[in-house]
Structures are given as structure tokens and as C-alpha cells.
Amino acid sequence: MNLKRRIFSAYQALKQNLRRSLLTMLGIVIGIASVIIILSLGQGFQSYTIKNLRQETEKNVSVDINFTPNAFENNTSIDSFNELDLHLVEQVEGVSLVKYKHLNESSIMKEFRFQTGKYSKVIDLKKESQVTLLHGRNFFPEDNQLKNKVAVISKETAEEISPNIRSVIGYGIPIDGELYTVIGIAQGRDSDELFSDSADIEIPQKTYESYHNKNNVISSISISIQQGYKPSTVANSVVKKLSQEGSMSSQGTYSTLDMSSLLDGISKILSILTLFISGVAGISLFIAGVGVMNMMYTSVSERTKEIGIRRALGAKRSEIRYQFLTEGLLLTISSGLIGYLLGFLVALVISQFLPFEVRPTLFNVGIAIGSTSLLGLVFSVSPANAAARKDLVEILR
């Protein structure tokens, strides 16, 4: 029996019990439609998000180049770039203008040596301290305006200075050669907090900027990109040039934010989330597959006489097996196509109320046909083998 006749015969067999076939198909249609709705909306949202981010990136004609030292030092206030670096960057193709960017810090990291050892501490520069205190007081806006050298430290930092944390009030903490008097001890981080934005030390911002001349420290440079050049390509060329010949190349590393890599990462995360949610929705296909197997077993049982007649007329076991496999595949694949069309239409309607559109993709079509084909094979093999193994003598009895 050729393939065309086998498919027509399978169609006729399914049509004989149309209600049962339609009810079995319904579970597959719903499962595939759910998956396609999630995939279509997820892909539309992903394209919309990445497109907007890329457009914002391409609008930016300037890129910042930063320098990160190999180690944080407690007594350094050295410019990261100089005139030699600017001259080198101006030679890079695609650069139209280079200028300094001065440091504007709200948080810094310093190393301290206390009685119990050496520690790296995060220092927040604030106009006013508003932490919950165990001892002492917070510093006020007046302390910031008057540039008073005062500090509020965490409980953990106080314990590293002295076991008697109350005695730490009045202690002088050295920061870049200047002593800051401890006037308050904060409650600190809770022991069950995994992440916390609480600093180890807080000091007045104007005090730090005044005594340490931080407003004039050059922390990075900004380069303007010529029209027609890709910002990420030019930025990478600048980083390579500075890494080879920059004035601070031996003391640290130059870097820039690679937006293309960031966008790729965001795209991958959105894709994984979409596929995961689709996979959860696809669990319903397994249940629908059990329904297909149940229907096929029932069909084999009802058509025992037909199988016997075909075997008596010379049909081989393999032909019987292929016939029932074809019926299972025809049932599931047709359900997959209907489910795809239904799912895409529903997603299309939903997208009318959203800021992005959905489009048909070969990937989604492949998911619909591939999953239902696999479903038909897996859950039809056992009933088809059962039909092929029926003994002719037993059937005739």
C-alpha cells in the first residue's frame, strides 16, 4: 500500500468515529495553542525590547572609557588619564572629539588596618546620615555644610576596632591622611540579609571633596563618535590603543560598556524565560498524548475483525503496524496545525492591546509540527504493535 492510499485509509478510519477523534484532537489543539501563544508574545516582547534598547544605544554618539586600577590604594588621588592619552585616542579612526570626565563619587572603597586586621570598607559620601543608631548621633546637613570631619560607622566596623563598641565613639578613622571622628555607630546589616546596600562608613560629602580635592580627579574620558561609525567598534579600538600605549596601562585596565554584549545577554535571558514558560504549558501535551494512546487502543480493539480480514487477504504485520501509526500521526499533526493557527490568531488579537506585534516564524511552525509528530509516534507505537501482533488464528475463532 503506497503512502497516499495509507493516508486516505487513515482518514476514513478516523472519520468513522468522528466525535471520539475530535475530542482527542481537542486536548492537543489546546496544548499547542497555549505554547504558540506564549512563544509568539514572548518573541514579540523580546524583539520590541531589544529594538528599543538598540535604538537608544545607536542614538548615543559619545562613549565613556574607564580605567580600573589593579588594586585599591588608601592614599592615591592620581588622574587616570592625561594629555598623552587624549592625543593617542584622537588618532583612532572614528573619533571626532575627546574630553575628560571628572570624578563624581557617591561611594568609595578604602583599606583600613585596625587592631584585629586589615579590612576593605565601603564609604558612602552623603549630605546627611539617617541610619538607625546603637550609640552616638548621625551627622546633619550642617556638618556637611561646615565640612566637619565626622563619621558614622557600622557595628561590624566598630567591633573590628574594639570589642567595646561604645568606646569607639570619638575614635579617629584615617581616610587619605585625614582623621574623621566617629560620632555614631549604626545598627548595621541584619545577619539574614544576603544583599544589603548599607555602607560600612558614612562621611559628609563636602568634607571629603574639600579635604581630598576629589572634584578635580579625572576618572574617565568621553569620546564623540564620527557619523557613520559604529560606537562599539570605535570604543573597542580606543580600549585596545590605550591598553598598549596608555599612561596607566601597567597599573590597571581600560574598559568600556559593551552594549552589544549586554543586549545579547538580555535577549538570551528573555528567550530562556519564554521557552521555560512554554515548556510548562507544553506539559498538557503529555496528557493529550495519553488520550491518543487510549483512543488508538480502543480502535485496535474495535477493529479486530478488520485486521483479521486484511491478514487473511495477505496483509503483512508491518502493513498493519504502519496503518495504525499513520492514523496516530495524522491525528496529532493535523491537531498541531490547527493548534498553531488558533494560538497565533489569539496572540495576534492580544498584541493589538500591547505595544508590540507578533509575526509567524518557522521556529514556531517547527515546534507545532515537530512536537505533535513526536507525540504521535511515541503514543501510537504501542497500539500499532499490539494490532500487528494479533494472531490470525485467534482472530478467526
Side-chain angles (χ1 to χ4, degrees):
M1 184 183 293
N2 59 38
L3 180 61
K4 186 177 180 180
R5 289 184 59 189
R6 185 177 290 128
I7 293 175
F8 180 76
S9 178
Y11 170 74
Q12 292 294 330
L14 295 173
K15 189 178 179 182
Q16 285 180 2
N17 201 325
L18 186 60
R19 181 180 298 177
R20 183 172 63 193
S21 299
L22 290 177
L23 289 174
T24 304
M25 291 173 65
L26 183 61
I28 303 174
V29 169
I30 293 174
I32 290 295
S34 301
V35 172
I36 296 303
I37 290 171
I38 295 171
L39 279 176
S40 298
L41 292 176
Q43 290 165 352
F45 175 71
Q46 176 183 337
S47 300
Y48 172 77
T49 303
I50 299 302
K51 180 181 178 181
N52 284 348
L53 289 174
R54 185 168 284 115
Q55 285 178 347
E56 288 299 319
T57 302
E58 291 174 352
K59 288 178 184 178
N60 294 331
V61 293
S62 63
V63 180
D64 291 345
I65 305 297
N66 305 307
F67 176 79
T68 304
N70 291 327
F72 290 101
E73 298 294 339
N74 202 33
N75 57 354
T76 57
S77 301
I78 303 174
D79 290 339
S80 300
F81 298 88
N82 57 28
E83 291 297 325
L84 173 62
D85 296 320
L86 263 62
H87 180 68
L88 286 172
V89 173
E90 288 172 347
Q91 298 175 9
V92 176
E93 185 179 1
V95 175
S96 61
L97 180 67
V98 189
K99 60 182 180 180
Y100 294 124
K101 290 196 71 175
H102 294 284
L103 195 62
N104 184 18
E105 294 175 306
S106 62
S107 182
I108 58 176
M109 179 175 285
K110 298 291 181 181
E111 289 186 351
F112 296 89
R113 187 177 296 277
F114 301 136
Q115 293 181 2
T116 55
K118 188 176 181 181
Y119 303 93
S120 294
K121 296 294 179 181
V122 175
I123 305 174
D124 274 1
L125 311 180
K126 293 192 171 184
K127 296 179 181 179
E128 179 182 7
S129 178
Q130 296 178 325
V131 296
T132 303
L133 295 171
L134 293 175
H135 305 290
R137 69 172 179 88
N138 283 304
F139 60 80
F140 306 117
E142 291 79 8
D143 293 303
N144 184 55
Q145 292 295 330
L146 295 172
K147 302 174 186 177
N148 294 331
K149 290 189 284 185
V150 293
V152 174
I153 66 175
S154 65
K155 176 185 175 184
E156 291 78 6
T157 303
E159 290 173 342
E160 291 162 356
I161 297 173
S162 173
N164 182 11
I165 61 173
R166 189 183 292 271
S167 67
V168 178
I169 298 293
Y171 179 85
I173 294 182
I175 301 177
D176 289 349
E178 299 289 341
L179 286 178
Y180 286 74
T181 303
V182 176
I183 60 171
I185 299 176
Q187 184 172 328
R189 304 179 181 91
D190 294 335
S191 58
D192 58 347
E193 285 187 3
L194 181 59
F195 300 104
S196 174
D197 57 0
S198 301
D200 300 296
I201 302 172
E202 291 186 358
I203 61 175
Q205 184 177 18
K206 284 192 174 182
T207 305
Y208 184 78
E209 292 173 351
S210 174
Y211 282 94
H212 306 282
N213 198 28
K214 282 295 179 179
N215 280 331
N216 296 322
V217 174
I218 299 170
S219 60
S220 60
I221 58 173
S222 176
I223 60 174
S224 297
I225 310 299
Q226 293 180 9
Q227 189 173 3
Y229 287 86
K230 191 175 180 180
S232 59
T233 303
V234 177
N236 290 333
S237 299
V238 170
V239 169
K240 184 178 180 181
K241 184 80 170 178
L242 289 172
S243 299
Q244 294 173 347
E245 306 176 42
S247 60
M248 301 284 285
S249 59
S250 62
Q251 301 180 43
T253 56
Y254 297 94
S255 63
T256 184
L257 179 61
D258 189 352
M259 287 302 298
S260 61
S261 298
L262 182 61
L263 292 177
D264 289 342
I266 294 173
S267 179
K268 287 179 181 178
I269 292 172
L270 292 175
S271 296
I272 291 171
L273 285 174
T274 301
L275 291 174
F276 173 75
I277 298 173
S278 301
V280 173
I283 293 175
S284 61
L285 289 176
F286 178 80
I287 301 172
V290 175
V292 172
M293 180 181 287
N294 180 63
M295 193 202 85
M296 294 301 296
Y297 269 119
T298 304
S299 180
V300 170
S301 177
E302 292 176 347
R303 294 161 62 187
T304 300
K305 185 177 179 181
E306 175 193 332
I307 295 171
I309 293 173
R310 291 184 62 181
R311 288 291 310 281
L313 294 175
K316 298 178 181 179
R317 291 180 184 272
S318 59
E319 291 179 353
I320 302 295
R321 181 182 296 109
Y322 290 146
Q323 180 62 37
F324 280 91
L325 276 175
T326 303
E327 291 178 19
L329 286 170
L330 181 62
L331 182 78
T332 55
I333 292 176
S334 57
S335 300
L337 291 173
I338 295 171
Y340 171 79
L341 292 174
L342 177 63
F344 179 74
L345 288 175
V346 172
L348 192 61
V349 172
I350 294 174
S351 69
Q352 301 304 310
F353 304 95
L354 299 173
F356 56 85
E357 60 182 14
V358 296
R359 296 178 180 177
T361 63
L362 290 176
F363 176 78
N364 291 352
V365 175
I367 287 288
I369 296 178
S371 59
T372 51
S373 298
L374 182 62
L375 193 74
L377 281 174
V378 170
F379 289 97
S380 298
V381 166
S382 183
N385 286 334
R389 286 197 301 266
K390 281 187 174 291
D391 185 70
L392 179 59
V393 176
E394 293 295 328
I395 293 174
L396 293 177
R397 285 180 181 177

